[in-house]
Amino acid sequence: MPNTFHITTFGCQMNAADSDWLSRSLVARGFVPVAADKATIHILNTCSVRDKPEQKVYSEIGRIRSATGNSPDILVCVGGCVAQQVGEKLFKRFSQVRLVFGTDGIASAPDAIARLAEAKRLRISLIDFADRFEERDAALDGETVPPAAFVNIMQGCDNFCAYCIVPYVRGRQKSRDADAVLAECAGLLERGAKEITLLGQNVNAYGLDLGVTVGNGRSAFGDLLYRVAALPNLSRLRFVTPHPKDMGPDMARAFADLPMLAPRLHLPLQSGSDEILRRMGRKYDTARFLELVTELKAARPEMHFSTDIIVGFPGETEEQFQETLSFMERVGFAGSFSFAYSDRPGTRASLLGDKLDKKTKFDRLARLQAWQYAFASDLLARMQGETVRVLLEGEAAAKDPVPGAVYWQGREERGHSVIVRMMREAPPGGWLGETVPVRVTGASMHGLKGDLA
Ligand code: 5AD
Ligand code: SF4
């Protein structure tokens, strides 16, 4: 009987991309992906950036333990940031856990899983940090790839923002070799990908750890963007996440030069108060942030921005929170991920004295989210009547389907999700991966809907 596996992923897009790779790599070794209740191998790819992540992971492992009667035939593998943090202590607590791997250890995880599936008493720990980006096998053979694919360009972060655990659990910044990035992108595009998102914790710092210099006022990341953009069959390029402090003038130039660079940027602000930004160690102020937005909008007037915000950083006053709200309004963010500050072990902010109480933090969070909801709803509603270009990613279920219509889901260039109603026959190769013009007929909190134009 083949070994069956199920991956549960928590956290960011980097984890999602890691899980996709791990899944492909296990399939290439003959493992079969199945629903959680059918799996003999359970893989949890964890996140520790906020809230009570360890508890979430413990309760998930506990759930598997009781659902399977703690059977020794079940293998539980814990990867990602919580595995890095808690490490081998997980072995003591849960007998079914026989593999822990950090983000640097993932390259060796498929081999380890293959060994553990045979040797029932073995335990393997892969939580050492690497000094360099470890290349993984491509695991693309025979696989079809989604129209919108993700490619990792770096691992870890050197910034040590006061609140953030990432540098401690994902290690220092390690950039991936540019030729390896290009080869993976080319491989994906040959297999049907149309859009590529380059992923990293701080993409503008790409290459700095390798000492890459490019000249002509171009950063190593800028250079990589131009090289990926030149690959055949690419219709759209995105990247996430840039850090405002490392965004140079070459970024606005890239948006002006490269039509496939989609006019949507996720640019984490964190706070609209200069004093809080200073205490967070972000190394930019609101004036600089606004300057960046202005430069980028000059290059691409249709650009939409989204951001990350932390409310209730230690010592944040009501006035400073109000500064965040008014700055968000000034930029006009199309969307934001917002979080109440939470202490992460080992970070500088966790040692600060003037912590805010839960009620104040969640009250501010609710007000910020209410503003964002109203602003985004209005922005999307104003897109009615526009014709947008949508990359079709999969069939969708419609709420009130019209007889004879089929519905597809995709994203338009500014990153908004669109449900498209098709009243027409599919082209010979099917709709998947096609980029089609869509007339926007409505909007909801989750995105747009429209008709094939
Ligand atoms: N508390 C709350 N939010 C946090 N983030 C990172 N660390 C913390 C923390 N300690 C948020 C930041 C970051 C996003 C990925 O998570 O906004 O950009
Ligand atoms: Fe964390 Fe700051 Fe690095 Fe982002 S840039 S991962 S917030 S330390």
Side-chain angles (χ1 to χ4, degrees), residues 49-50 163-164 270 308 310 339-342 344:
V49 86
R50 289 179 298 271
Y163 50 80
C164 187
Q270 311 298 0
D308 287 348
I310 298 176
F339 315 101
Y341 167 81
S342 76
R344 308 313 305 136

Side-chain angles (χ1 to χ4, degrees), residues 227-257:
R227 291 175 70 190
V228 175
L231 292 171
N233 304 327
L234 177 73
S235 9
R236 253 185 216 169
L237 181 56
R238 304 181 189 276
F239 59 84
V240 75
T241 310
H243 192 305
K245 84 174 164 59
D246 294 310
M247 292 271 294
D250 66 330
M251 283 298 104
R253 233 175 294 136
F255 276 100
D257 288 349

Side-chain angles (χ1 to χ4, degrees), residues 254-321:
F255 276 100
D257 288 349
L258 304 172
M260 67 290 284
L261 199 51
R264 163 67 174 243
L265 195 66
H266 185 76
L267 193 59
L269 169 68
Q270 311 298 0
S271 168
S273 150
D274 288 337
E275 171 60 14
I276 297 288
L277 285 174
R278 193 185 60 72
R279 294 179 44 220
M280 286 177 165
R282 292 288 291 174
K283 304 193 176 74
Y284 56 83
D285 58 12
T286 49
R288 172 67 191 140
F289 194 98
L290 208 55
E291 198 174 81
L292 273 171
V293 168
T294 311
E295 278 172 22
L296 290 159
K297 278 204 163 156
R300 294 289 277 279
E302 73 277 31
M303 180 102 87
H304 278 179
F305 293 89
S306 52
T307 199
D308 287 348
I309 301 284
I310 298 176
V311 301
F313 186 78
E316 183 191 70
T317 63
E318 174 62 25
E319 288 69 34
Q320 287 166 332
F321 168 69

Side-chain angles (χ1 to χ4, degrees), residues 221-421:
F221 177 63
D223 193 57
L224 185 70
L225 269 184
Y226 280 78
R227 291 175 70 190
V228 175
L231 292 171
N233 304 327
L234 177 73
S235 9
R236 253 185 216 169
L237 181 56
R238 304 181 189 276
F239 59 84
V240 75
T241 310
H243 192 305
K245 84 174 164 59
D246 294 310
M247 292 271 294
D250 66 330
M251 283 298 104
R253 233 175 294 136
F255 276 100
D257 288 349
L258 304 172
M260 67 290 284
L261 199 51
R264 163 67 174 243
L265 195 66
H266 185 76
L267 193 59
L269 169 68
Q270 311 298 0
S271 168
S273 150
D274 288 337
E275 171 60 14
I276 297 288
L277 285 174
R278 193 185 60 72
R279 294 179 44 220
M280 286 177 165
R282 292 288 291 174
K283 304 193 176 74
Y284 56 83
D285 58 12
T286 49
R288 172 67 191 140
F289 194 98
L290 208 55
E291 198 174 81
L292 273 171
V293 168
T294 311
E295 278 172 22
L296 290 159
K297 278 204 163 156
R300 294 289 277 279
E302 73 277 31
M303 180 102 87
H304 278 179
F305 293 89
S306 52
T307 199
D308 287 348
I309 301 284
I310 298 176
V311 301
F313 186 78
E316 183 191 70
T317 63
E318 174 62 25
E319 288 69 34
Q320 287 166 332
F321 168 69
Q322 291 295 337
E323 286 178 52
T324 297
L325 277 185
S326 48
F327 192 76
M328 288 180 79
E329 195 158 338
R330 185 143 179 213
V331 175
F333 288 109
S336 56
F337 297 113
S338 47
F339 315 101
Y341 167 81
S342 76
D343 270 342
R344 308 313 305 136
T347 59
R348 274 178 286 133
S350 69
L351 305 174
L352 296 173
D354 39 2
K355 300 278 164 58
L356 272 65
D357 61 83
K358 212 169 164 181
K359 186 176 171 305
T360 308
K361 286 193 287 191
F362 283 92
D363 169 66
R364 287 182 191 170
L365 188 63
R367 281 187 281 156
L368 187 143
Q369 289 177 344
W371 172 82
Q372 182 67 71
Y373 177 75
F375 187 87
S377 308
D378 188 47
L379 186 97
L380 291 178
R382 278 188 278 117
M383 288 174 75
Q384 278 209 42
E386 273 186 42
T387 298
V388 295
R389 294 183 59 72
V390 179
L391 172 64
L392 299 172
E393 296 183 38
E395 277 197 62
K399 251 212 211 124
D400 308 300
V402 172
V406 288
Y407 293 83
W408 277 74
Q409 184 275 329
R411 282 181 192 279
E412 54 86 59
E413 291 184 313
R414 284 159 294 181
H416 301 295
S417 174
V418 189
I419 302 287
V420 187
R421 183 172 68 175

Side-chain angles (χ1 to χ4, degrees), residues 76-98:
V76 178
C77 310
V78 186
C81 297
V82 174
Q84 189 72 54
Q85 218 182 324
V86 182
E88 292 161 24
K89 276 184 268 174
L90 283 163
F91 293 152
K92 294 221 175 69
R93 197 155 162 188
F94 303 98
S95 61
Q96 290 180 316
V97 176
R98 293 194 289 118

Side-chain angles (χ1 to χ4, degrees), residues 86-121:
V86 182
E88 292 161 24
K89 276 184 268 174
L90 283 163
F91 293 152
K92 294 221 175 69
R93 197 155 162 188
F94 303 98
S95 61
Q96 290 180 316
V97 176
R98 293 194 289 118
L99 173 65
V100 291
F101 60 97
T103 45
D104 283 0
I106 193 172
S108 317
D111 284 342
I113 292 171
R115 278 183 66 197
L116 291 165
E118 298 302 320
K120 299 256 146 91
R121 292 166 110 92

